């Protein structure tokens, strides 16, 4: 059988229920096309609800606690084995276009970073550098979300080469001159948006690989709908805020939760007890400082960002068809983690392992191999992508990878290979360190050196409103789930090599 190409398309921080095929309030015709022509998995999870740890898990097939890039501001050490190396060794071309975020915005004498200042914005450097980078022979990178000042690298070069000499007008100081007070409508011309850059450069590589008859592993890594909430017209006003369902907290739902949940609903909470490194902690702040009008507008803009991105994903799918590559290419669409836009009274992300944050949109298309128009509840994890890609290509899976091979599940040959997923969040060395075990029905979260936790019955309480952790009637259930959790932790330990001798 011919070895398939692999095309991974990811968004950034996209809520699981933001695909038009399953949510009539949003329009995503191209993602709908993938769902129609492939299989949608409704129980996919991230191994960590932040960028660097999860993205490193995608390329290593290991959990953050194993590959070492445990939180934002760390990096995936260069000696870690990546799936790109396996594909390159088998004669595949490997490339990443868009967001990597394998390294931090700052470096030290001991820990260098190509994604840090000032090299981030040394365009002369990036004109000469396209890799190798973590197993990708070619990379074209950027680091900014919408108008962030982190803009630079290959994206800035592309803007200049395409006639946008004033690109700094569309980005925040100190890099640019855009007024930080501007919200929702991003004045950048759409033809210079990074969505256009990613689609154009992806399609150029697809064309090159087709002309040369080369198999490929290509990651098209989009930046949206990660905040700041900004998108060009017509997308900025595509959705009427008054006609959208705006999630909100249920009164009293945090009364049974660990203390950091309730603190988010105060106007001036004190999170100093959690601040261990002084490097910033996502989500540990007030979440009640937005007016109802602003909350509605944020959701409308968030949806507009997704619809805009969908258009450019469509250009990539069209190019596959044009080049005659669609039938031989495994296309995966997912995101790195979810997002809050009012659910449980929360915004963005943090140490809150609700389904909104850790569950993902997850679509697979491989014509003739992955069933079309199917919706599956089989549990998936992003840590499974690397071993599954290798399996589909007929390549050996390195024994150190701890994700599982989902290829038979994707092809509809087995109902499931996982009975659980694990999500880690270690955002400070000791004070913010938690893990979640979720199976077909239940979810349990434990915190390092803490007696509090969370236990939700996702069948009876899909909205995760009632925490059963301290319920006397659930004591036996909690004990059973903690034991299963321990088994799952033992089961995901890495084995870099098989046992080859008795001694």
């Amino acid at each position: 059988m011919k070895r398939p190409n692999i095309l991974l398309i990811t968004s950034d921080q996209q809520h699981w229920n933001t695909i038009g095929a399953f949510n009539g309030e949003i329009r995503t015709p191209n993602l709908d096309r993938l769902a129609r022509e492939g299989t949608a998995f409704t129980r996919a999870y991230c191994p960590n609800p932040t960028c660097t740890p999860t993205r490193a898990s995608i390329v290593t097939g290991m959990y953050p606690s194993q590959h070492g890039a445990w939180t934002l501001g760390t990096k995936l050490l260069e000696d870690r084995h990546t799936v790109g190396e396996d594909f390159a060794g088998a004669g595949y071309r490997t490339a990443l276009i868009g967001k990597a975020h394998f390294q931090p915005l700052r470096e030290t004498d001991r820990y260098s970073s190509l994604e840090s200042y000032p090299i981030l914005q040394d365009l002369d450097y990036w004109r000469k550098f396209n890799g190798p980078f973590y197993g990708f022979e070619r990379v074209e990178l950027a680091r900014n979300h919408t108008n962030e000042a982190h803009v630079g690298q290959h994206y800035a070069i592309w803007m200049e080469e395409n006639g946008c000499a004033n690109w700094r007008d569309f980005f925040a100081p100190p890099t640019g001159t855009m007024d930080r007070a501007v919200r929702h409508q991003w004045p950048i011309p759409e033809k210079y948006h990074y969505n256009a850059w990613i689609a154009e450069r992806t399609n150029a590589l697809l064309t090159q690989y087709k002309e040369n008859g080369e198999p490929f592993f290509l990651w098209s890594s989009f930046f949206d709908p990660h905040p700041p909430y900004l998108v060009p017209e017509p997308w900025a006003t595509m959705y009427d805020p008054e006609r959208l369902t705006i999630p909100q907290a249920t009164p009293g739902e945090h009364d049974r939760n660990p203390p950091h949940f309730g603190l988010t609903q105060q106007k001036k909470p004190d999170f100093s007890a959690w601040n261990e490194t002084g490097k910033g902690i996502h989500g540990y702040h007030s979440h009640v400082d937005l007016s109802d009008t602003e909350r509605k507008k944020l959701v409308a803009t968030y949806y507009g960002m997704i619809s805009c991105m969908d258009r450019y994903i469509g250009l990539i799918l069209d190019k596959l068809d044009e080049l005659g590559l669609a039938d031989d290419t495994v296309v995966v669409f997912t995101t790195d983690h979810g997002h809050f836009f009012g659910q449980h009274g929360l915004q963005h992300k943090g140490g809150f392992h609700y389904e909104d944050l850790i569950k993902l949109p997850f679509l697979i298309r491989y014509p003739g191999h992955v069933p079309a128009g199917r919706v599956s509840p089989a549990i998936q994890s992003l840590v499974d992508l690397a071993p599954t890609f290798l399996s589909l290509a007929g390549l050996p899976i390195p024994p150190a990878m701890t994700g599982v091979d989902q290829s038979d599940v994707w092809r509809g040959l087995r109902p499931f290979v996982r009975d659980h997923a694990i999500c880690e969040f270690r955002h400070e060395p000791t004070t913010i360190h938690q893990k979640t075990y979720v199976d077909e029905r239940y979810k349990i979260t434990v915190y390092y050196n803490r007696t509090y936790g969370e236990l939700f019955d996702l069948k009876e309480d899909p909205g995760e409103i009632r925490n059963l952790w301290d319920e006397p009637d659930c004591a036996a259930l909690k004990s059973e789930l903690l034991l299963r959790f321990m088994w799952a932790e033992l089961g995901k330990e890495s084995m870099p090599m098989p046992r080859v001798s008795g001694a």
Side-chain angles (χ1 to χ4, degrees):
M1 186 176 72
K2 183 178 180 180
R3 293 186 302 177
N5 307 306
I6 308 292
L7 175 60
L8 173 62
I9 304 174
T10 57
S11 60
D12 192 337
Q13 200 162 314
Q14 183 176 352
H15 190 275
W16 64 268
N17 192 28
T18 53
I19 294 178
F22 310 106
N23 178 354
E25 293 190 2
I26 190 169
R27 294 192 286 281
T28 57
N30 296 293
L31 294 180
D32 296 355
R33 172 184 168 189
L34 281 180
R36 185 172 61 251
E37 297 175 353
T39 296
F41 288 92
T42 60
R43 296 293 304 279
Y45 291 91
C46 63
N48 185 292
T50 50
C51 296
T52 299
T54 274
R55 290 168 178 273
S57 289
I58 289 173
V59 296
T60 62
M62 303 179 77
Y63 289 85
S65 57
Q66 297 166 335
H67 59 58
W70 55 277
T71 191
L72 300 173
T74 68
K75 77 168 180 176
L76 181 62
L77 297 175
E78 287 85 353
D79 63 356
R80 298 309 192 248
H81 182 81
T82 66
V83 68
E85 297 173 52
D86 297 312
F87 277 110
Y92 275 67
R93 303 300 299 274
T94 61
L96 186 157
I97 308 295
K99 177 174 177 175
H101 204 167
F102 300 142
Q103 299 185 349
L105 287 168
R106 299 285 182 269
E107 67 177 3
T108 67
D109 291 340
R110 183 174 181 180
Y111 299 105
S112 62
S113 172
L114 282 181
E115 299 189 66
S116 68
Y117 288 93
I119 197 170
L120 178 75
Q121 296 177 330
D122 182 351
L123 301 191
D124 288 336
Y125 175 86
W126 294 101
R127 286 186 180 95
K128 301 174 183 177
F129 179 82
N130 288 103
F133 194 62
Y134 291 102
F136 296 101
E137 64 170 340
R138 182 173 186 87
V139 292
E140 299 182 30
L141 305 176
R143 238 341 252 285
N144 57 291
H145 302 101
T146 64
N147 73 332
E148 287 179 338
H150 309 320
V151 62
Q153 295 171 288
H154 298 105
Y155 174 45
I157 295 170
W158 175 85
M159 285 189 286
E160 289 186 354
E161 291 176 346
N162 282 271
C164 189
N166 67 324
W167 60 268
R168 294 178 185 272
D169 293 347
F170 309 115
F171 298 91
T175 302
T177 59
M178 183 176 166
D179 184 354
R180 292 181 183 274
V182 173
R183 295 288 186 271
H184 309 297
Q185 184 177 335
W186 193 9
I188 191 171
E190 188 178 330
K191 65 181 179 179
Y192 298 128
H193 193 283
Y194 43 56
N195 288 346
W197 165 62
I198 293 169
E200 178 187 303
R201 296 304 305 143
T202 294
N203 287 348
L205 289 179
L206 291 175
T207 301
Q208 174 186 320
Y209 299 152
K210 171 64 176 182
E211 291 175 348
N212 296 333
E214 299 167 316
F216 58 83
F217 168 53
L218 174 57
W219 184 357
S220 297
S221 182
F222 287 85
F223 297 83
D224 285 354
H226 189 297
Y229 296 96
L230 285 166
V231 69
E233 289 290 10
W235 315 97
T237 53
M238 180 176 183
Y239 295 95
D240 180 354
E242 298 300 326
R243 301 185 67 178
L244 298 177
T245 300
I246 310 300
Q248 57 187 354
T250 299
E253 68 169 293
H254 295 309
D255 292 349
R256 301 182 185 90
N257 285 343
H260 61 288
F261 286 81
L263 286 171
T264 65
Q265 305 305 297
Q266 299 179 11
K267 289 189 176 298
K268 294 183 178 180
D270 179 9
F271 282 104
S272 58
W274 285 267
N275 197 335
E276 190 172 4
T277 64
K279 302 297 183 184
I281 44 179
H282 273 282
Y284 284 57
H285 53 75
S286 175
H287 288 238
V288 295
D289 55 351
L290 295 173
S291 68
D292 287 345
T293 299
E294 181 65 5
R295 289 178 58 238
K296 293 176 181 179
K297 184 60 178 173
L298 290 179
V299 177
T301 307
Y302 185 76
Y303 279 20
M305 294 167 77
I306 294 170
S307 291
C308 178
M309 177 182 64
D310 178 84
R311 175 180 183 240
Y312 291 91
I313 291 172
L315 296 181
I316 296 172
L317 298 179
D318 290 345
K319 179 59 70 171
L320 286 175
D321 289 341
E322 176 190 325
L323 295 171
L325 291 170
D327 287 347
D328 298 321
T329 301
V330 180
V331 177
V332 174
F333 172 79
T334 187
T335 192
D336 54 0
H337 55 80
H339 181 69
F340 296 114
F341 47 93
Q343 296 89 345
H344 307 282
L346 300 171
Q347 298 290 330
H348 301 177
K349 58 191 172 189
F352 321 99
H353 282 186
Y354 291 116
E355 298 288 273
D356 305 285
L357 187 59
I358 69 172
K359 197 166 77 166
L360 318 167
F362 200 84
L363 307 174
I364 313 291
R365 187 187 75 178
Y366 185 16
H369 301 272
V370 170
R374 179 169 173 253
V375 177
S376 170
I379 294 174
Q380 307 286 311
S381 173
L382 295 183
V383 76
D384 301 336
L385 287 178
T388 305
F389 288 156
L390 292 171
S391 178
L392 289 170
L395 300 176
I397 299 170
M401 287 187 178
T402 51
V404 300
D405 176 8
Q406 295 270 5
S407 58
D408 282 350
V409 179
W410 291 9
R411 290 182 292 206
L413 303 177
R414 297 178 64 182
F416 65 91
V417 292
R418 278 189 173 278
D419 62 8
H420 70 274
I422 289 177
C423 183
E424 306 175 341
F425 185 67
R426 189 174 189 177
H427 204 36
E428 292 280 37
T430 64
T431 58
I432 304 178
H433 187 188
Q434 67 198 71
K435 289 188 181 184
T436 292
Y437 168 95
V438 57
D439 63 20
E440 182 180 1
R441 178 169 180 173
Y442 297 105
K443 173 190 287 183
I444 191 166
T445 301
V446 297
Y447 294 81
Y448 179 62
N449 282 345
R450 298 290 187 267
T451 57
Y452 54 66
E454 296 139 50
L455 195 168
F456 292 104
D457 183 339
L458 298 177
K459 179 181 178 181
E460 299 297 326
D461 179 24
E464 299 174 275
I465 304 302
R466 185 180 180 187
N467 182 7
L468 304 175
W469 180 269
D470 288 321
E471 291 289 325
D473 291 346
C474 295
L477 173 63
K478 182 167 74 171
S479 294
E480 179 184 350
L481 289 173
L482 289 172
L483 183 58
R484 290 189 206 169
F485 197 169
M486 190 66 247
W487 290 341
E489 279 292 314
L490 292 171
K492 74 178 180 64
E493 290 182 0
S494 177
M495 289 190 291
M497 68 167 287
R499 188 177 184 187
V500 297
S501 174

